Every structure is written in structure tokens, then in C-alpha cells.
Amino acid sequence: MKSALAFALIASVSAFPGMDLGFRDTAVFVPGQDVIRVQATGSMDNFILRSSSPAGLDGTAMVTQADIGGTPPLFYIAPGSSQLMLFVNATTLLHVNVVNNTSPEKWTRGHPAHVNYDPEMQPIPLSPLQIPLQIAFSRKAEGIRTGEWSWLGTLLRFELPPSATKALGVGSGRQSNQGVFFQCLDAEGRNGLFTNLDPSFTPPGCSVVTLHSYAAVQKEQRRHREL
Ligand SMILES: *[C@@H]1O[C@H](CO)[C@@H](O)[C@H](O)[C@H]1NC(C)=O
Ligand SMILES: *[C@@H]1O[C@H](CO)[C@@H](O)[C@H](O)[C@H]1NC(C)=O
């Protein structure tokens, strides 16, 4: 956490085009941090990523409308790091963890993660790459700790390097979600956020979303201008 705080600074953040989300009230900024916007195909609404818990507490990722539920949380990937962090305040950061959540009762109500949820059809076992992974927030790094978060332009990706896929026994070579995430109802009826490493497979009962940050692009552009 110390290294993350070392480059925390007081700055006025340049407004991105779009609606005012009110987060400029926050006094401390880490370069590149931004709200994470959630885009669903065909959706015109303004959705963002939030925690299911009050600020600073462990929780799961939730997709909500930007203007509901108070100040939107800010996220960033520290330079030289592949860990996505949720910024709470100058003294509190949460790890964005990818948890291998194969337990049906924890996941979509009535939609077990590993079978076809249509009762008329034979259950279809999922491959390890198709098994949903849930996005959660915690003070500790948990879940698949060998995974890597990165920005591809504005698009957020989660990947396993070849060493990690080998260690986890999920095939060989790099595995990537290619920026594909899923919004699925969790056991509490919330819009939870999930992913898997086979982006061609949408778990039953879920819809495809992508996650975006514009600060990540602005930072890249600044870096190029400075070169
Ligand atoms: C930062 O947030 C945490 C969790 O909400 C809180 O306990 C702490 O007092 C806050 N620190 C500051 C400096 O505001
Ligand atoms: C998630 O857990 C399942 C069941 O234990 C396993 O088959 C799969 O390989 C795991 N996926 C990852 C990415 O670790």
C-alpha cells in the first residue's frame, strides 16, 4: 500500500466528456484513476462498477446506474503493476479480486454455474475456462492471484500468463477474457460481475458487458506526448 500512496497527489482532475458523476469532490487522486464504466451492447444507460458493501469494506462487484448510490468508486492499475485497485481514500485501498466461484448457491439464483439451467435439457458440464469467475473487493489479495489486469485502450482485460495457466491446470499459454465480462444475478438478487477465460461462452442467465476507463487513455496520451 505504501508504494500506491507514494504517488497519491492532490490534483484537479480534468473532466472527461459525459455526465458529471460528482467524484471531483474527492480530494486525493492517483494518476490514472477513474470510475469504471460498464457498457452492455445496445444499452444507452450510464452504468458503473460499485461495491455491494459500504466504502472500505469487503464486498462483491455490482453493476449499477451511475447516478444512484452516491459517489462512484475510483479504480486504477498502479504503474508497473498488474493489480487492479479500488481507491477508497488516502489510507484505504481494496484489491479487485477474481474469485473462482463455482458454488451455485453463491452464484445466480437457480442457475448453477456448471450445468445447463434449462430443466428440460441435459446438464452440460462446463470446461474450466468457461466456469464463471466472480469479481470481488477485499483488503487482501485473494482468489486467482496470478492473474493480470490491464487496459487495452479504454478496455479492461483480465488474463492469466502462461505460468499461471499451467499452475492452475487450465490449458497452456496465455488465457484472456479479451475484455468480456458478464452481468449475472447473484444469490442476493444483485447485478453481480463475473468473467471467464472463454469469452465465447456466455454463462446461462448472464449478459455480456465490457468495462472502460477514460483516465487510462488520457494517461497513455500524456505519456506519448512526453516521449
Ligand atoms: C478511509 O476509509 C476507511 C474505510 O471507510 C476509514 O475507516 C478511514 O477512517 C478513512 N480514512 C480517512 C483518512 O478518511
Ligand atoms: C475454477 O475451479 C474449477 C473447479 O474447481 C476448476 O476446474 C477451474 O480450473 C478453476 N479455474 C481457474 C481459472 O482456476
Side-chain angles (χ1 to χ4, degrees):
M1 185 177 297
K2 276 212 182 73
S3 67
L5 294 176
F7 58 85
L9 48 82
I10 311 289
S12 66
V13 118
S14 65
F16 50 84
M19 68 180 288
D20 184 354
L21 295 167
F23 68 81
R24 274 168 282 157
D25 306 344
T26 317
V28 181
F29 285 97
V30 174
Q33 69 177 0
D34 192 10
V35 168
I36 289 186
R37 280 137 229 284
V38 182
Q39 283 177 8
T41 35
S43 166
M44 302 291 282
D45 284 321
N46 223 329
F47 288 98
I48 59 158
L49 213 56
R50 282 185 195 280
S51 173
S52 60
S53 301
L57 302 180
D58 293 5
T60 56
M62 241 179 23
V63 177
T64 71
Q65 263 174 307
D67 50 355
I68 298 173
T71 308
L74 301 171
F75 297 85
Y76 70 98
I77 298 170
S81 148
S82 53
Q83 176 67 53
L84 181 65
M85 305 298 294
L86 190 165
F87 178 88
V88 180
N89 61 33
T91 55
T92 308
L93 299 172
L94 297 182
H95 289 263
V96 180
N97 294 315
V98 177
V99 183
N100 192 348
N101 193 349
T102 53
S103 160
E105 62 275 12
K106 280 193 186 163
W107 194 56
T108 314
R109 194 169 14 207
H111 297 178
H114 53 286
V115 296
N116 191 322
Y117 74 103
D118 184 344
E120 301 288 307
M121 292 176 73
Q122 279 294 315
I124 301 170
L126 303 184
S127 84
L129 296 180
Q130 294 172 328
I131 288 169
L133 307 169
Q134 186 165 21
I135 316 304
F137 309 124
S138 171
R139 292 216 180 202
K140 288 179 293 200
E142 288 172 343
I144 303 176
R145 297 179 57 181
T146 46
E148 296 175 348
W149 292 95
S150 61
W151 299 109
L152 183 66
T154 69
L155 183 76
L156 184 63
R157 283 189 300 196
F158 179 75
E159 299 181 311
L160 294 180
S163 57
T165 54
K166 196 158 170 248
L168 292 167
V170 290
S172 57
R174 178 168 288 268
Q175 302 284 354
S176 172
N177 77 348
Q178 292 174 34
V180 174
F181 292 82
F182 308 106
Q183 176 184 310
C184 321
L185 281 188
D186 68 14
E188 276 83 49
R190 294 181 293 237
N191 271 326
L193 187 73
F194 296 78
T195 191
N196 64 32
L197 296 163
D198 178 1
S200 67
F201 178 85
T202 305
C206 300
S207 53
V208 170
V209 296
T210 54
L211 307 182
H212 302 265
S213 154
Y214 295 98
V217 169
Q218 286 167 7
K219 201 172 117 200
E220 243 338 86
Q221 286 167 346
R222 269 201 305 278
R223 204 173 64 83
H224 281 288
R225 275 203 301 275
E226 282 158 13
L227 288 178

